[in-house]
Amino acid sequence: MKFGYREICLEHDTGSRHPESPDRLRAIRQTLEDSEDVTYVAAEAASEAEVRDVHDEAYVESVRQFCANGGGNWDADTVAVEATWDAAMASAGLAAWAAEAALDGANGAQTPFALGRPPGHHAVGDDAMGFCFVNNVAVAAERALTERDVDRVAILDWDVHHGNGTQDIFYDRGDVYYASIHEEGLYPGTGDISETGEGPGEGTTLNVPFPPGCGDADYRSVFDVIVEPEFEAFDPDLLLVSAGFDAHEQDPISRMLVSTGGYGMLTERLATLADRIDAPLAFVLEGGYGLETLSAGVREVQDVLSGKDPEPVEGDPGEDGRNVRDALIYQGFGAQ
């Protein structure tokens, strides 16, 4: 794969006890060392104008000034140092690069994956939260819509936490379809099935709030029956993935049961869908806080896109997973 990466992202220092640490990127790179299909691209940082396209101008200036003054605790979870501003701009630029590279034809083993931090999907239009300052995938989607021949973008967020920021930014727009599969009740507490968009965006927000304990078969079922037909009907010109790996069965801060092979299954299905609907595919790193499971998940995505067959997912979805899927069908989502 082509991985977007900038050393400045390591300088966003959250402290020795914070789960979102520079070691996340170091672990990923170490795991990818022996792969022959890996190249790294040091893409340019996003511009302030691009960030203001998805965030309020006053908020952007307040973050820039907060970092220039040395940073500190924006809130209980979201920490900055002086270098955080440059890291956040670099991370957003890497996400935008991934979208651009996909639109320029990078696919298969060369599918772009932005390895930036801080992550982005919790950053709302006018505030930082949940370790996130700039909504990277939103910057990427907006650049594609503004600067390329792109009319519609679909975003699948498989991070275990609901991407409230991405939903917030695009909630009333019909040109971005945001779909999130996440753990019900986990931070930030948003992402209910009833949240489906408003105004021109009505019907272009899809939330799949799985109860704790759901795993590969539940994800496979909801992707096949709900997400895939929704995206196919939306007919996007670009498909972006907010790729967090914290739904892994061994991640320290969630209670979901997705295996490393489960991420491979989702990747294979996404690649097949992207090819069928002629929508370039790109990945943007979000969460994942077990270093081994995070790096194994990224490696699994890379291996599957380089030609590895994912492990078959055995069994049927559990009762909890079926109930969520069927509730979405009842609301009119998915294959009818």
Side-chain angles (χ1 to χ4, degrees):
M1 292 185 76
K2 287 185 175 180
F3 288 96
Y5 176 80
R6 293 276 304 277
E7 288 288 319
I8 184 63
C9 291
L10 299 178
E11 296 183 30
H12 168 54
D13 184 3
T14 52
S16 60
R17 293 187 153 188
H18 201 286
E20 202 294 287
S21 75
D23 287 340
R24 298 175 65 239
L25 298 188
R26 296 188 182 106
I28 292 169
R29 291 205 58 170
Q30 184 175 5
T31 298
L32 296 173
E33 275 184 346
D34 64 347
S35 177
E36 297 179 356
D37 297 320
V38 169
T39 57
Y40 291 99
V41 178
E44 293 184 1
S47 68
E48 287 192 35
E50 288 178 310
V51 174
R52 290 194 300 269
D53 283 342
V54 298
H55 290 287
D56 291 355
E57 183 173 357
Y59 163 69
V60 174
E61 176 57 25
S62 67
V63 173
R64 189 192 67 76
Q65 193 61 53
F66 184 71
C67 295
N69 291 338
N73 285 80
W74 184 276
D75 61 29
D77 300 313
T78 311
V79 181
V81 294
E82 185 175 354
T84 296
W85 172 253
D86 288 340
M89 300 297 281
S91 190
L94 292 170
W97 160 82
E100 293 269 7
L103 289 165
D104 287 338
N107 57 26
Q110 297 300 305
T111 299
F113 195 137
L115 296 178
R117 59 176 295 276
H121 73 154
H122 293 309
V124 296
D126 61 357
D127 202 5
M129 58 185 292
F131 314 161
C132 305
F133 290 92
V134 174
N135 196 304
N136 304 317
V137 77
V139 171
E142 190 64 29
R143 180 193 283 186
L145 290 163
T146 302
E147 300 185 8
R148 301 294 295 259
D149 186 20
V150 169
D151 294 324
R152 292 174 301 282
V153 176
I155 301 170
L156 175 62
D157 189 336
W158 72 38
D159 190 281
V160 79
H161 303 93
H162 177 242
N164 61 299
T166 313
Q167 175 174 298
D168 176 76
I169 289 167
F170 296 118
Y171 200 63
D172 61 354
R173 289 175 49 172
D175 54 355
V176 176
Y177 195 120
Y178 175 70
S180 174
I181 309 174
H182 52 273
E183 182 179 328
E184 181 183 30
L186 204 60
Y187 180 92
T190 51
D192 189 77
I193 283 177
S194 63
E195 298 167 20
T196 61
E198 63 184 18
E202 178 61 44
T204 60
T205 294
L206 167 66
N207 283 302
V208 185
F210 276 143
C214 290
D216 295 350
D218 304 291
Y219 277 68
R220 179 194 60 195
S221 175
V222 83
F223 184 89
D224 290 351
V225 177
I226 305 295
V227 176
E228 183 174 337
E230 285 294 312
F231 278 6
E232 191 159 9
F234 185 67
D235 192 23
D237 303 304
L238 174 67
L239 179 54
L240 300 175
V241 184
S242 271
F245 294 87
D246 39 6
H248 195 281
E249 58 194 343
Q250 295 177 2
D251 189 272
I253 64 173
S254 78
R255 298 166 292 175
M256 301 299 272
L257 298 176
V258 178
S259 69
T260 299
Y263 289 112
M265 173 271 296
L266 288 173
T267 300
E268 189 273 335
R269 277 167 156 72
L270 277 165
T272 300
L273 172 63
D275 184 63
R276 186 170 70 251
I277 64 177
D278 194 26
L281 174 66
F283 292 76
V284 177
L285 184 66
E286 298 289 356
Y289 304 102
L291 298 183
E292 291 184 5
T293 55
L294 167 63
S295 54
V298 174
R299 178 63 184 263
E300 180 75 4
V301 171
Q302 189 265 335
D303 285 348
V304 167
L305 290 171
S306 295
K308 171 189 170 183
D309 290 329
E311 298 177 11
V313 172
E314 304 293 344
D316 297 321
E319 182 179 358
D320 285 343
R322 291 196 307 271
N323 287 341
V324 173
R325 180 198 65 195
D326 292 348
L328 288 164
I329 293 172
Y330 182 77
Q331 275 199 252
F333 287 105
Q336 303 299 310

